[in-house]
């Protein structure tokens, strides 16, 4: 005979209440037999009345042990979705509020006169630099300012609309019809992109000796309309320039804490990465890993012009050559040619030549041949083993100090990180 459902529930409730009223510190062993209610006239089931061997009343002991999962690095393909360095933005300023046409009304004051207030000004759209933002991915393609509030009676003016701010990363250039109208290179710098419309005038504004009861009121003006192009140019002291699979990303990982993707195939890096090289005197040098350049990049081949413009901001260049490949001196000539074709004088900036992959057997012979053809100093390094990386870091500091002296002598303000 089975217990009725309500009797079974009552029995479970009684046994559970008695069990948890006992002192439960950590864990305890229960040796008593769970007894079925006396009014249950059924056969004793050995499974139901067996002794409870071990019971833990501690939530920590009862809980399942769960290890914290390590945060996975975002792949280069997913990271590229969020990195945007060009935006076309349509902007419309807010419309001004309309003026009111009202007359003052009060007991025993028949001709109170006009008391319509002016409308509020429309909201202005402002582009503001925020150094915490690293991409233009948060910029929307369309912005419209807020409209001003209409005027009211009793000479009440309408409320001016709030401004709309578009936050962009450091190094953003604003263009209109191909002409640069703003260069935003400082944190907190602002540029008024679209003015809001002026609020309309109420009939109180038109009161004069000739017209003592004007009824005229003007509507608010429309806001300014503009179409702007935003371009991001990476702000860094040094730019690493080289052909695909030359080891630029591995070298950036070796000299800084940046973690760009590294793989044994070309075009692993699809967007610029910036790493910070720190020195003992708390000076910091920003080094940008520019995606690989190929022959004809100035004609927009490969990744083309979309990433060549990031080199324009760099104060000095690091030409990274693959010493394991054939003719490394030809790589240097081709890189300089592409930079010069893109912008005259770009390849003549202060620079250093870095020969990577010196740990490979064929790199030694190519290094000797390169030194015989190039008069400049060549720094052989191995990003994989860390060989001679200290010399590269010290040479970076020399280039950085030279940049500081040049800017200070010219009366400018050098960029510091």
């Amino acid at each position: 005979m089975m217990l009725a459902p309500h009797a079974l529930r009552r029995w479970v409730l009684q046994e559970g209440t008695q069990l948890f009223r006992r002192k439960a510190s950590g864990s305890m062993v229960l040796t008593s037999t769970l007894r079925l209610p006396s009014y249950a006239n059924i056969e004793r089931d050995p499974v139901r009345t067996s002794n409870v061997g071990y019971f833990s009343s501690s939530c920590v002991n009862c809980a399942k042990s769960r290890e914290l999962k390590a945060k996975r690095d975002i792949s280069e393909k997913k990271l590229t979705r969020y990195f945007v360095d060009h935006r076309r933005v349509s902007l419309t300023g807010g419309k001004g509020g309309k003026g009111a046409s009202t007359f003052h009304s009060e007991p025993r004051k028949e001709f109170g006169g006009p008391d319509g207030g002016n409308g509020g000004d429309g909201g202005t759209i402002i582009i503001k630099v925020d150094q915490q933002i690293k991409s233009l991915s948060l910029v929307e393609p369309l912005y419209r300012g807020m409209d001003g509030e209409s005027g009211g009676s009793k000479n009440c003016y309408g409320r001016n609309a709030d401004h709309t701010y578009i936050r962009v990363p450091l190094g953003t250039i604003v263009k209109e019809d191909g002409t640069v109208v703003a260069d935003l290179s400082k944190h907190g710098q602002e540029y008024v992109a679209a003015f809001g419309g002026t609020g309309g005038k109420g009939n109180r504004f038109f009161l004069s000796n000739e017209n003592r009861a004007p009824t005229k009121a003007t509507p608010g003006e429309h806001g300014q309309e503009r179409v702007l192009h935003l371009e991001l140019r990476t702000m860094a002291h040094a730019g690493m320039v080289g052909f695909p699979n030359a080891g630029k990303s591995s070298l950036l990982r070796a000299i800084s804490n940046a973690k760009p993707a590294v793989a044994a195939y070309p075009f692993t890096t699809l967007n610029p990465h910036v790493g910070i090289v720190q020195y003992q005197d708390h000076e910091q040098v920003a080094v940008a890993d520019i995606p690989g350049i190929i022959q004809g990049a100035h004609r927009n081949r490969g990744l083309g012009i979309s990433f060549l413009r990031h080199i324009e901001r760099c104060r000095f260049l690091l030409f990274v050559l693959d010493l394991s490949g054939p003719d490394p001196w030809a790589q240097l000539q081709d890189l300089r040619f592409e930079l010069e074709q893109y912008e005259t004088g770009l390849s003549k900036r202060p620079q250093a030549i870095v020969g990577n992959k010196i740990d490979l057997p064929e790199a030694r012979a190519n290094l000797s041949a390169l030194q015989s053809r190039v008069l400049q100093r060549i720094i052989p390094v191995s990003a994989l083993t860390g060989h001679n990386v200290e010399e590269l870091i010290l040479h970076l500091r020399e280039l950085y100090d030279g940049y500081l002296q040049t800017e200070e002598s010219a009366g400018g303000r050098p960029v510091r990180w």
Side-chain angles (χ1 to χ4, degrees):
M1 178 177 178
M2 299 295 293
L3 281 175
H6 66 278
L8 180 61
R9 285 195 299 267
R10 185 172 57 184
W11 171 76
V12 171
L13 182 60
Q14 291 176 355
E15 291 294 330
T17 303
Q18 295 176 5
L19 178 65
F20 285 101
R21 281 179 179 175
R22 301 172 185 176
K23 184 178 180 180
S25 59
S27 60
M28 59 183 177
V29 178
L30 302 181
T31 57
S32 61
T33 303
L34 293 178
R35 297 180 179 179
L36 291 172
S38 57
Y39 55 80
N41 191 10
I42 60 173
E43 296 182 358
R44 299 286 179 171
D45 191 349
V47 177
R48 294 183 181 180
T49 59
S50 60
N51 290 341
V52 178
Y54 184 82
F55 174 76
S56 175
S57 62
S58 175
C59 296
V60 177
N61 295 332
C62 295
K64 185 184 295 184
S65 61
R66 298 179 181 178
E67 298 180 356
L68 294 177
K69 295 183 179 179
K71 185 178 180 181
R72 295 183 179 179
D73 296 334
I74 301 178
S75 65
E76 188 72 22
K77 185 176 181 180
K78 290 184 178 180
L79 191 61
T80 308
R81 300 177 187 173
Y82 311 126
F83 183 83
V84 179
D85 61 349
H86 182 272
R87 279 290 196 198
R88 179 183 180 273
V89 186
S90 178
L91 307 172
T92 304
K95 182 181 178 181
K98 62 181 180 179
S101 178
T102 60
F103 288 87
H104 183 67
S105 177
E106 186 179 344
R108 296 180 298 276
K109 197 171 184 181
E110 183 177 359
F111 301 102
D115 66 348
N118 299 337
D121 296 336
T124 300
I125 301 177
I126 301 175
I127 300 176
K128 186 174 183 179
V129 178
D130 189 350
Q131 63 182 3
Q132 300 297 329
I133 297 178
K134 305 301 180 184
S135 172
L136 296 175
S137 59
L138 300 178
V139 178
E140 301 292 337
L142 178 64
Y143 283 92
R144 179 176 176 82
M146 301 176 63
D147 296 337
E149 188 176 308
S150 300
S153 59
K154 299 181 181 180
N155 296 320
C156 292
Y157 282 33
R159 178 177 176 271
N160 295 332
D162 295 334
H163 299 322
T164 301
Y165 286 91
I166 304 176
R167 303 193 179 274
V168 296
L170 202 67
T172 302
I173 288 181
V174 184
K175 290 184 177 181
E176 185 176 17
D177 298 331
T179 304
V180 178
V181 295
D183 187 356
L184 308 177
S185 57
K186 298 179 181 179
H187 175 65
Q189 186 176 356
E190 296 181 356
Y191 171 71
V192 179
F195 289 95
T198 306
K201 304 298 182 182
N203 63 340
R204 173 72 181 183
F205 177 82
F206 298 99
L207 178 65
S208 63
N209 292 332
E210 292 77 14
N211 189 0
R212 304 302 300 173
T215 58
K216 179 182 178 181
T218 60
E221 297 180 356
H222 291 278
Q224 185 181 11
E225 297 184 4
R226 299 180 71 181
V227 177
L228 300 178
H229 293 267
L230 305 182
E231 293 183 3
L232 174 60
R233 297 179 181 178
T234 304
M235 298 285 293
H237 298 118
M240 303 175 66
V241 185
F243 284 102
N245 211 20
K248 300 184 296 298
S249 300
S250 300
L251 189 59
L252 185 64
R253 294 170 69 104
I255 64 177
S256 69
N257 291 329
K259 301 297 181 184
V262 175
Y265 55 84
F267 294 108
T268 307
T269 303
L270 299 178
N271 59 275
H273 292 270
V274 178
I276 305 299
V277 182
Q278 300 183 0
Y279 294 90
Q280 293 182 354
D281 57 351
H282 305 291
E283 285 287 352
Q284 296 179 340
V285 179
V287 182
D289 175 18
I290 308 299
I293 299 175
I294 65 174
Q295 295 182 358
H298 67 280
R299 298 192 185 96
N300 212 17
R301 291 185 58 190
L303 297 178
I305 299 177
S306 60
F307 290 107
L308 270 176
R309 63 168 170 262
H310 290 279
I311 309 176
E312 297 180 29
R313 296 278 189 176
C314 299
R315 275 62 181 179
F316 42 92
L317 306 177
L318 298 179
F319 289 101
V320 182
L321 307 179
D322 184 3
L323 294 180
S324 64
D327 302 336
W329 54 89
Q331 300 178 27
L332 181 61
Q333 294 177 357
D334 292 338
L335 290 174
R336 288 176 173 174
F337 176 77
E338 293 298 331
L339 296 184
E340 198 67 24
Q341 291 297 316
Y342 176 72
E343 181 182 341
T344 304
L346 185 59
S347 64
K348 298 180 181 179
R349 293 185 181 181
Q351 56 191 251
I353 302 176
V354 182
N356 196 13
K357 304 182 182 180
I358 193 61
D359 54 307
L360 299 180
E362 59 272 15
R364 293 291 181 178
N366 291 333
L367 176 61
S368 302
L370 179 62
Q371 290 174 341
S372 62
R373 293 171 179 264
V374 179
L375 300 179
Q376 291 179 274
R377 177 185 176 184
I378 302 173
I379 304 176
V381 299
S382 173
L384 180 63
T385 63
H387 173 72
N388 213 23
V389 172
E390 295 82 1
E391 182 180 354
L392 173 60
I393 295 177
L394 293 176
H395 189 62
L396 267 177
R397 182 58 188 269
E398 296 176 3
L399 294 174
Y400 176 71
D401 293 339
Y403 158 69
L404 294 181
Q405 294 177 1
T406 304
E407 288 292 326
E408 292 174 356
S409 61
R413 295 183 60 185
V415 177
R416 297 179 183 270
W417 282 72

